[in-house]
Amino acid sequence: MENQVIHRKTRAAQAKMGLRERGKLERRRRIQAVARREFMEKGYDVATTRDIAALAEVGIGTLFTYAKDKRELLMMIVNDDLDEVSEQAERAINTDKSLLEQITAFFRPRYDYWAAHPALGRPIVREIMDVVGATDEPGPETARFYERRPRMVKALQQIVSRGQTTGQATKTASASLIASLFLTIYLTEVRRWLNQEKPDAVEGLARFRELADLAIRGVRPD
């Protein structure tokens, strides 16, 4: 009898815990959905965390348990998206193609994503620069955003290593250094491109491709 009572209490506790976790996930989903809509429609600078909390039907204190500030909210929105974009980018690589084609294919999903969400991309670029010079610890969503960078570099290194093997890239520099060059070109170009009123993915990727091709060929005269 005593064991039955214990089991019932255990099941009740588990059900309560499950309900609590589902509630947390639902609140997070509402906050993300509202924040995305507010940032896209009003703009990141105009939207406020107080309005987002009210529209998501949570207290401002509750909102801050999910994201400590507006930057974290922005990062929360794009992180899930960018995880999928990263997977698309890696699947897009065709090892039978040239070095330039592989590099271009790798970055195409990112241009497509930012072209579809420029209202999120522009503040992301600015906030990233602010984080670089900040002295305080980044929030978990911002840290998660940066944790994606080594994965990008690793994928680029693999592309470059194949290019070195086939004679399409120099072996006088490490694959890591060359991968960093391509990533730097992308980060610089995407900032310029996103500043346009209506960033076009085709135009942005074409410009990146030209610069990547120039990097591969070099600027020394033949």
Side-chain angles (χ1 to χ4, degrees), residues 126-146:
R126 186 178 71 233
E127 292 296 332
I128 288 172
M129 296 305 296
D130 289 345
V131 170
V132 170
T135 56
D136 60 325
E137 283 292 319
E141 292 293 338
T142 301
R144 180 184 165 199
F145 182 90
Y146 276 98

Side-chain angles (χ1 to χ4, degrees), residues 15 21 45 49 56 59 83 99 111 123 127 148 167 187-188 200 210:
E21 290 303 314
D45 293 326
T49 53
D83 283 344
L99 173 61
Y111 274 94
E127 292 296 332
R148 197 175 291 105
L187 292 174
T188 302
D200 178 82
E210 288 179 356

Side-chain angles (χ1 to χ4, degrees), residues 71-132:
R71 174 191 293 160
E72 279 288 282
L73 269 178
L74 178 63
M75 296 294 184
M76 180 192 295
I77 292 168
V78 302
N79 271 332
D80 289 345
D81 292 347
L82 292 180
D83 283 344
E84 173 58 27
V85 169
S86 294
E87 292 178 7
Q88 291 175 6
E90 292 171 11
R91 290 195 300 266
I93 300 170
N94 184 341
T95 57
D96 293 330
K97 298 290 185 179
S98 69
L99 173 61
L100 179 61
E101 291 298 334
Q102 291 182 59
I103 293 291
T104 303
F106 179 74
F107 284 106
R108 181 175 286 110
R110 290 176 170 81
Y111 274 94
D112 288 341
Y113 177 76
W114 294 125
H117 306 88
L120 301 178
R122 294 186 187 104
I124 279 286
V125 168
R126 186 178 71 233
E127 292 296 332
I128 288 172
M129 296 305 296
D130 289 345
V131 170
V132 170

Side-chain angles (χ1 to χ4, degrees), residues 9-23:
K9 288 182 178 180
T10 301
R11 287 196 299 270
Q14 290 173 341
K16 185 177 181 181
M17 179 65 71
L19 186 63
R20 185 182 301 122
E21 290 303 314
R22 287 196 296 272

